[in-house]
Amino acid sequence: MTKGKYQAVQTFELADPRAMAVRTLERVHDGAYSNLQLDAMIKRSHLTERDVHFMTNLVYGVIQHRLTLDYWLGHFVKQSNQLDPWVRELLFLALYQWQFLDKVPQHAIFDQAIELAKRRGHAGIRKFVTGVLHAMDRQGLPALTAISDPTERLAITYSLPQWLMQRLIDDYGSARAEKIAASLNQAPAQSVRVNTAEMTVAQAQAELEQAGFTVTPSLLSPVALRLTGGGHISESVAFQSGKITIQDEAATLMVPSLDVKPGMRVLDAAAAPGGKTTQIATYLDAQAGGVVEALDIHPHKVDLIQANAKRLHVADRIHARALDARQVDQQFADNSFDRILVDAPCSGLGLLRRKPEVRYEKHLADSYALQKVQLAILDAVASMLKVGGRLVYGTCTVLTIENDDVVAAFIARHPEYRLVPTYVDKDRSLTDKQGLVHILPDQYQTDGFFIATLERIK
């Protein structure tokens, strides 16, 4: 079987969560963003709310465990990557349900896969799928523990590229690397940041609970809440009225370390979509001259910053513009800012719970290339900060290449800067001896995040 073109969606599929999951997975594997493609498929479907949740589980589960599933399938189908895309995804779907879910019996999983192969394909495809599934049932799946190379075994077990598994081992040791890898396949928590310019955290919690959400105060951030139930938070009155915004708990920790005062001038050098920009703005007073200059290289992303600022009622304190942060000298003079935030472009490997397909798209060379960009941004903004001011650098990745190494290289090139302890409100143990903060995904089940706080001393 060779790769074919996408077939038109058939009517029977629109009410079948498995069929719609296969459609979604085809497109994600060929480059579509999982969240956007899933939303598009859900809108096209005729699924109940329960089936939407099931379909979402199937899509993210297969993406998260793709290397494991491919390892198992490869023992029964040689060159499985040459299968028609939908047939490969259908087999992955059956494998995922069989091995990782427990509510549907194996015989029902296999029967449903065979029926879908029959309805979407032809007799030959149905016969092929039947044969593969029956062979798996008779012979059993190959044990992952039989993989002799320890790094390869961990990589396949947790479905991370081998280069990434090796980097985690190098940075954190084998035991911690395995915990991190395992945590990346857990479902992400839904969290929000309270817009404290509009209401207190206690008031937001009460309003969200009244709206049907189960709300737990964050163990990590004083301005974040973790939510379950209640539907889509973006459809809530609290979100639409600007009282809250969707933001990971770990991501809310960068801004407090800036120590922003009401009348300060702040630079957010890589601001889109504006989560941290609007958080900075909650500390500012426009009448006292407080402003945050928010930059992004892409004009359409500047629109996102402005839309978020308007929704959260802090637009009077935000100036957003399209500008590459490496070219800040074209718009601003030296010593222009009291505070600078660099939420740097990075590999995003701390976000794998939310964007599981990213793990298959990145390579070690990408992190080294990004390191150069990160340093170039820091170099460009370094002279813009006033003496005595603070610069907070952060990424949503867990690799030392883009974190500790970048900070060390910057300080070596800029003796006018020194590290100071990053402020953490709740868990002070997160700040290491250098003052750096590493929030790893296994600690609080949040995104992975890195934060460094620097002060200009001359």
Side-chain angles (χ1 to χ4, degrees):
M1 294 184 187
T2 58
K3 282 188 176 182
K5 298 287 186 181
Y6 295 135
Q7 300 173 358
V9 178
Q10 301 175 54
T11 302
F12 83 87
E13 297 178 67
L14 296 175
D16 183 342
R18 295 169 185 82
M20 296 303 286
V22 169
R23 290 283 184 184
T24 305
L25 288 164
E26 286 179 76
R27 287 157 174 77
V28 171
H29 189 249
D30 284 350
Y33 290 114
S34 59
N35 58 334
L36 300 180
Q37 192 60 49
L38 189 60
D39 287 347
M41 285 295 182
I42 289 169
K43 288 176 182 176
R44 295 181 66 185
S45 73
H46 301 154
L47 300 177
T48 64
E49 184 176 351
R50 180 181 177 183
D51 281 344
V52 165
H53 289 305
F54 182 47
M55 173 187 168
T56 301
N57 184 327
L58 294 178
V59 169
Y60 282 119
V62 169
I63 296 171
Q64 287 169 335
H65 297 283
R66 181 172 292 278
L67 296 183
T68 312
L69 302 174
D70 195 44
Y71 175 79
W72 284 328
L73 183 60
H75 282 71
F76 299 93
V77 181
K78 301 303 179 186
Q79 296 183 317
S80 62
N81 63 333
Q82 296 302 309
L83 293 172
D84 282 349
W86 74 268
V87 176
R88 180 188 61 239
E89 301 303 331
L90 175 61
L91 289 168
F92 283 166
L93 200 71
L95 271 171
Y96 170 69
Q97 292 177 85
W98 179 23
Q99 293 301 305
F100 294 99
L101 303 182
D102 55 13
K103 290 187 177 180
V104 182
Q106 176 193 334
H107 68 85
I109 293 169
F110 285 8
D111 288 348
Q112 290 159 351
I114 292 167
E115 178 63 20
L116 181 53
K118 174 184 175 182
R119 296 183 71 177
R120 181 168 169 182
H122 50 70
I125 291 176
R126 178 196 57 77
K127 183 177 180 180
F128 171 78
V129 169
T130 302
V132 171
L133 293 177
H134 286 177
M136 291 177 178
D137 190 24
R138 288 193 309 271
Q139 299 173 32
L141 300 178
L144 300 176
T145 53
I147 301 171
S148 58
D149 181 86
T151 304
E152 182 185 5
R153 181 172 64 252
L154 289 173
I156 292 176
T157 298
Y158 298 108
S159 200
L160 291 178
Q162 195 163 336
W163 75 265
L164 177 54
M165 194 70 240
Q166 186 61 61
R167 291 302 309 190
L168 292 176
I169 292 169
D170 292 345
D171 286 350
Y172 301 104
S174 294
R176 188 63 188 278
E178 183 169 5
K179 289 181 180 179
I180 294 169
S183 75
L184 292 172
N185 289 331
Q186 297 169 355
Q190 181 174 224
S191 64
V192 297
R193 173 176 60 81
V194 178
N195 180 7
T196 53
E198 292 290 306
M199 64 178 0
T200 67
V201 174
Q203 289 170 332
Q205 180 172 348
E207 181 170 328
L208 289 166
E209 287 174 342
Q210 190 173 10
F213 293 93
T214 299
V215 185
T216 306
S218 171
L219 296 174
L220 189 59
S221 167
V223 295
L225 298 170
R226 188 173 288 198
L227 312 179
T228 56
H232 297 292
I233 188 62
S234 61
E235 297 175 1
S236 70
V237 173
F239 178 87
Q240 293 177 356
S241 64
K243 296 172 183 175
I244 60 171
T245 194
I246 298 169
Q247 195 168 351
D248 186 76
E249 296 162 72
T252 67
L253 298 186
M254 281 187 74
V255 170
S257 201
L258 283 170
D259 190 27
V260 175
K261 307 301 182 187
M264 285 184 170
R265 193 175 188 213
V266 184
L267 174 66
D268 188 351
K276 297 175 190 68
T277 306
T278 53
Q279 188 178 0
I280 292 169
T282 64
Y283 293 86
L284 297 173
D285 181 347
Q287 292 184 345
V291 65
V292 52
E293 297 282 355
L295 314 181
D296 197 88
I297 194 171
H298 302 292
H300 72 280
K301 290 188 176 181
V302 173
D303 294 340
L304 292 176
I305 298 170
Q306 293 170 331
N308 274 319
K310 183 178 180 181
R311 180 176 61 82
L312 293 165
H313 313 294
V314 291
D316 62 333
R317 287 153 270 180
I318 294 172
H319 295 167
R321 68 181 78 198
L323 181 66
D324 187 330
R326 292 167 291 187
Q327 300 170 351
V328 289
D329 61 343
Q330 295 180 7
Q331 295 287 335
F332 306 106
D334 287 352
N335 307 303
S336 291
F337 297 98
D338 302 287
R339 301 288 189 264
I340 295 178
L341 183 78
V342 178
D343 182 16
C346 70
S347 57
L349 295 172
L351 309 178
L352 295 186
R353 280 198 190 93
R354 303 179 193 283
K355 300 178 179 179
E357 68 273 19
V358 168
R359 69 186 74 190
Y360 311 118
E361 300 167 359
K362 301 296 183 180
H363 304 279
L364 184 58
D366 296 328
S367 286
Y368 281 110
L370 283 162
Q371 185 189 73
K372 294 179 181 178
V373 174
Q374 292 153 357
L375 276 167
I377 292 173
L378 287 171
D379 287 340
V381 303
S383 65
M384 301 290 151
L385 188 65
K386 296 176 182 178
V387 175
R390 283 192 164 200
L391 186 160
V392 174
Y393 171 82
T395 74
C396 54
T397 190
V398 295
L399 299 186
T400 301
I401 298 167
E402 301 176 56
N403 295 336
D404 308 62
D405 293 354
V406 169
V407 172
F410 175 75
I411 291 175
R413 285 148 64 156
H414 294 273
E416 71 275 21
Y417 277 85
R418 69 175 180 181
L419 273 172
V420 295
T422 291
Y423 174 76
V424 179
D425 182 271
K426 292 201 170 187
D427 185 353
R428 302 294 175 86
S429 67
L430 290 170
T431 305
D432 68 16
K433 292 179 181 179
Q434 295 187 80
L436 305 173
V437 167
H438 294 265
I439 303 167
L440 300 177
D442 63 311
Q443 290 173 288
Y444 286 95
Q445 288 69 56
T446 65
D447 292 344
F449 226 88
F450 170 82
I451 310 171
T453 304
L454 301 113
E455 182 180 52
R456 186 172 181 187
I457 55 176
K458 58 183 178 179

